Amino acid sequence: MAAVVVAVLASVVVISYSGWWNPSNTESLAGRDPANAELYIDPDMQSIAAAREDARFDPIATTPQAKWFTDWSTSETVQDDVGDYLDGAAAADAVPTVVLYRIPQRDCGSWSTGGAADEQEYRDWVKGAAAELKGHDDALVIIEPDALPQLGKCEQGDRLDTLTFAVDALATTGARVYIDAGHENWLSAAEAADRLSKVGVDKVRGFSLNVAAHYTTQREIAYAEDVRSELSKLGITDVHYVIDTGRNGAGPQGDNCNPPGARLGHEPQLFEGDALDGFLWVKNPGETDGACRGGPASGFWAPAALDLLGLDQDERTSSQLSAGWIRLGAVGGAGLVGLVAWALARRRTRDRLRGAAEHAARQVP
């Protein structure tokens, strides 16, 4: 009996932690060479804390994601804040992904409203972040998601000048810097190229797309190449890009604020030898988009995470199932039955997740 229990337990471990992506999927479907570098998993991610309470969130908690520096990080603390994160990545020998998201009049008063009080405070903040990033040529830095596409949407001062200042400051760091350019359904490729050129995309690595959005990877790659073509007409060549694939597994959604139909997309992967530098999870999956659809204004929100995983809201947690098995285990043979049931439940969860990933995979050329 003990041997059988051990064998079944071993299978449970494999089911639970072997992963729900085939590591070769992204490589072969993208048709590009994966870079020999691991992205950093920040131990302070909110999904990690959530997964300690509910193992269903493990696929999110164990996947590298970006670190957002927003209003919680001030001009006085930003150097320490960024430095602590970079130190953690260096200790893990992994690539950090930094998102700077504090421009004045951020999101024009919408779900992610906020930002620095004025342009001078923002400039001081950016200078502090740039000072700490200097010499970190492995770091990925995404500048102000949505700020460039929202140009002129609200009273925002001289946003072009503000963004140009940020680009200039970060261009001196050696980091791989990307200016956010929205997504395929926001600006035409020509307009995106024009705006990118005005803020100095030629001084940095390139641009980012699909941050916090849900457009398919295939179409975002096509859009990115159109933007690059328009940039070349302006005399700007050798521009690279990254795509947020964290929540685009089910394609475009009717509402981008905590949409229940969204699913996880391709796992993060860096590439080399091509204009596409990587798929990233920029927007942290499972964290709310704002106070919509019953969600909180900020933070990890279990219903959104369960939606992305394709799980039912009322399904018992893995920890509950595990506890049920332990209770049954006290009565001998019944314990084995409980363990097998738990393993099957975990397998069903994995199959649902794999189905979501395979659906996303079919979207990539």
Side-chain angles (χ1 to χ4, degrees):
M1 173 66 74
V4 173
V5 170
V6 170
V8 175
L9 182 59
S11 70
V12 170
V13 173
V14 171
I15 291 169
S16 301
Y17 298 105
S18 61
W20 49 279
W21 285 292
N22 179 339
S24 65
N25 282 348
T26 304
E27 303 168 14
S28 60
L29 290 171
R32 294 166 171 86
D33 296 326
N36 185 26
E38 292 187 7
L39 288 158
Y40 181 48
I41 297 178
D42 178 14
D44 292 330
M45 288 194 309
Q46 295 183 46
S47 57
I48 292 179
R52 293 192 189 107
E53 302 297 323
D54 188 337
R56 289 177 298 176
F57 301 131
D58 282 347
I60 297 176
T62 57
T63 302
Q65 299 165 40
K67 176 85 168 184
W68 289 64
F69 293 84
T70 63
D71 294 342
W72 66 268
S73 178
T74 68
S75 300
E76 291 73 27
T77 69
V78 65
Q79 279 192 251
D80 288 339
D81 298 333
V82 173
D84 289 346
Y85 175 67
L86 295 176
D87 288 346
D93 193 23
V95 175
T97 304
V98 171
V99 180
L100 299 180
Y101 192 54
R102 201 170 177 242
I103 197 165
Q105 296 300 316
R106 186 181 64 212
D107 206 25
C108 285
S110 191
W111 297 117
S112 297
T113 187
D118 53 46
E119 291 184 17
Q120 187 56 54
E121 181 186 352
Y122 181 71
R123 289 176 181 233
D124 291 342
W125 185 74
V126 168
K127 285 190 290 187
E132 200 61 36
L133 282 160
K134 191 172 290 290
H136 288 272
D137 56 3
D138 61 330
L140 309 176
V141 181
I142 294 173
I143 301 178
E144 298 297 340
D146 298 348
L148 196 61
Q150 286 181 338
L151 185 65
K153 182 179 177 182
C154 61
E155 178 56 45
Q156 52 197 207
D158 191 344
R159 176 158 287 189
L160 278 179
D161 186 60
T162 303
L163 283 171
T164 300
F165 176 87
V167 171
D168 287 345
L170 292 162
T172 66
T173 65
R176 289 171 284 178
V177 177
Y178 303 88
I179 307 166
D180 190 65
H183 51 70
E184 64 184 90
N185 201 36
W186 202 329
L187 303 175
S188 69
E191 181 63 24
D194 181 62
R195 295 188 188 189
L196 285 167
S197 69
K198 287 178 178 177
V199 296
V201 72
D202 56 313
K203 302 173 185 176
V204 294
R205 183 71 173 176
F207 58 92
S208 59
L209 293 177
N210 210 39
V211 173
H214 308 86
Y215 295 93
T216 64
T217 305
Q218 178 183 10
R219 291 188 58 172
E220 288 297 290
I221 290 174
Y223 175 66
E225 293 299 331
D226 288 344
V227 173
R228 293 182 71 244
S229 177
E230 294 296 332
L231 284 168
S232 69
K233 297 176 184 178
L234 302 175
I236 302 173
T237 58
D238 195 29
V239 178
H240 295 243
Y241 59 92
V242 291
I243 296 173
D244 185 353
T245 60
R247 308 190 304 173
N248 72 346
Q253 302 296 302
D255 184 348
N256 276 340
C257 196
N258 297 327
R263 297 294 182 268
L264 295 176
H266 284 284
E267 67 175 331
Q269 173 68 63
L270 298 179
F271 301 103
E272 57 188 9
D274 193 82
L276 172 61
D277 281 347
F279 300 146
L280 303 174
W281 282 15
V282 182
K283 167 67 178 179
N284 305 128
E287 293 190 19
T288 182
D289 290 309
C292 56
R293 206 171 66 83
S298 62
F300 190 87
W301 187 40
L306 293 174
D307 285 339
L308 289 170
L309 291 162
L311 299 178
D312 296 331
Q313 304 285 348
D314 59 354
E315 183 178 344
R316 289 189 299 162
T317 66
S318 299
S319 58
Q320 290 171 321
L321 288 167
S322 189
W325 166 72
I326 292 172
R327 288 193 297 271
L328 287 171
V331 294
L336 179 60
V337 173
L339 178 56
V340 172
W342 181 73
L344 291 174
R346 293 289 286 176
R347 181 181 292 275
R348 285 194 294 272
T349 297
R350 181 204 60 182
D351 289 344
R352 284 196 295 271
L353 295 173
R354 179 181 288 126
E358 289 175 350
H359 176 82
R362 290 194 292 272
Q363 304 299 320
V364 179

